[in-house]
C-alpha cells in the first residue's frame, strides 16, 4: 500500500505528541522528551523507531515509554542498534563510532565485480588533480554527444551512493563527489573511473 507509511505517521505522531514529546522543527520525524534528568530522542523511519535514552532501568522514562508503546501497538524490540540506514554503529564504552564500511564494500561488489583495479588501489587521495578538467570537458561535450544509457545509469547510481556516504560518514570525499555531481547528466568513461577511484579510496 503506497500510503501505508503516511497513514502510520498520522497515527503515531499524534500519539507521541500526546505522550509529551516535542516534534523537531528541522526534521518532523525526530521527537524529544525530557523529564528531569531523563531524556528520550525518538527517530521515525517508515515503521521503524530508533530510540536514544539516558537510562533504561525498570523505573526509567524509557521503560515508561516502551510500556506505553507496547500497550498501544504490537511492537518488537530488536535490542541495541548495530546499523541504521547503511550506517554501522559500534560502541566502545562511552564512545560511539559511525562508519559505512559494510555499505562501501557492498558498493565495491556491485560496481567493481571483477575486483579493484591496481591503479585505483594505489590512490592516496580521493581524486586526481585533473578531475575539474574532466568535468569541464564532459559539460562542454554535453550537447554534442549524449552519454550511453548504461554509462549514464551506472554513473548516476555510483555517484549518488558516494554522495550519501559523503554526507553521512565520509566528509573527506565531499569535494571529489561534489565535482562528480556536476556531470550527472553527461558522464564520460573517464569520470566513471574517477568515481570508482573515490569508491576505492
Amino acid at each position: 500500500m503506497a500510503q501505508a507509511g503516511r497513514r502510520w505517521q498520522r497515527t503515531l505522531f499524534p500519539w507521541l505528541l500526546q505522550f509529551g514529546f516535542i516534534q523537531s522543527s528541522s526534521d518532523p520525524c525526530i521527537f524529544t522528551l525530557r523529564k528531569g534528568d531523563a531524556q528520550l530522542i525518538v527517530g521515525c523511519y517508515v515503521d521503524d523507531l530508533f530510540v536514544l535514552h539516558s537510562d533504561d532501568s525498570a523505573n526509567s522514562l524509557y521503560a515508561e515509554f516502551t510500556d506505553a508503546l507496547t500497550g498501544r501497538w504490537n511492537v518488537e524490540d530488536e535490542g541495541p542498534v548495530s546499523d541504521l540506514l547503511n550506517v554501522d554503529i559500534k560502541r566502545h564504552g562511552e564512545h560511539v563510532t559511525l562508519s559505512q564500511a559494510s555499505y562501501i564494500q557492498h558498493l565495491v561488489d556491485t560496481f567493481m565485480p571483477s575486483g579493484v583495479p591496481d591503479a585505483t588501489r594505489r590512490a592516496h587521495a580521493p581524486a586526481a588533480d585533473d578531475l575539474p578538467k574532466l568535468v569541464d570537458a564532459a559539460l562542454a561535450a554535453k550537447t554534442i554527444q549524449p552519454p550511453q544509457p548504461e554509462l549514464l545509469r551506472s554513473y548516476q547510481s555510483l555517484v549518488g551512493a558516494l554522495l550519501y556516504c559523503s554526507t553521512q560518514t565520509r566528509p573527506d570525499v565531499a569535494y571529489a563527489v561534489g565535482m562528480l555531481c556536476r556531470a550527472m547528466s553527461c558522464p564520460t568513461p573517464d569520470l566513471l573511473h574517477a568515481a570508482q577511484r573515490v569508491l576505492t579510496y
Side-chain angles (χ1 to χ4, degrees):
M1 179 185 289
Q3 295 296 318
R6 180 70 176 146
R7 290 181 181 179
W8 165 239
Q9 283 186 356
R10 288 179 177 173
T11 302
L12 175 66
F13 287 10
W15 183 86
L16 289 170
L17 295 172
Q18 187 175 15
F19 193 85
F21 281 90
I22 297 173
Q23 191 172 22
S24 169
S25 58
S26 58
D27 187 334
C29 294
I30 304 292
F31 295 80
T32 57
L33 174 63
R34 186 185 297 271
K35 288 185 179 179
D37 293 333
Q39 182 176 7
L40 290 180
I41 301 174
V42 175
C44 307
Y45 180 72
V46 190
D47 62 349
D48 290 327
L49 298 182
F50 182 80
V51 183
L52 297 173
H53 52 81
S54 54
D55 177 21
D56 62 353
S57 61
N59 296 318
S60 66
L61 180 59
Y62 173 73
E64 179 187 345
F65 169 68
T66 54
D67 286 346
L69 188 68
T70 55
R72 177 66 174 84
W73 293 285
N74 180 20
V75 297
E76 179 181 345
D77 184 351
E78 297 182 353
V81 67
S82 59
D83 66 275
L84 179 70
L85 302 177
N86 290 315
V87 176
D88 300 324
I89 303 169
K90 294 182 181 176
R91 293 171 185 76
H92 314 278
E94 295 183 356
H95 302 283
V96 176
T97 302
L98 304 179
S99 72
Q100 290 183 284
S102 301
Y103 180 59
I104 292 169
Q105 184 58 54
H106 168 72
L107 295 178
V108 170
D109 295 340
T110 300
F111 292 100
M112 298 178 161
S114 301
V116 179
D118 288 338
T120 56
R121 191 186 300 274
R122 292 192 299 268
H124 298 292
D129 292 338
D130 66 346
L131 180 58
K133 292 181 180 178
L134 294 176
V135 172
D136 288 343
L139 293 172
K142 180 178 180 179
T143 57
I144 301 172
Q145 182 176 4
Q148 296 295 319
E150 183 58 36
L151 172 64
L152 183 65
R153 189 166 36 253
S154 295
Y155 184 84
Q156 290 177 342
S157 296
L158 176 54
V159 174
L162 292 173
L163 180 61
Y164 180 64
C165 292
S166 73
T167 60
Q168 301 302 306
T169 62
R170 296 297 304 267
D172 55 325
V173 301
Y175 170 76
V177 173
M179 290 299 299
L180 293 168
C181 284
R182 295 182 184 185
M184 277 295 210
S185 64
C186 53
T188 64
D190 286 341
L191 284 176
L192 181 60
H193 292 312
Q196 291 172 339
R197 172 178 171 147
V198 176
L199 176 59
T200 58
Y201 170 68

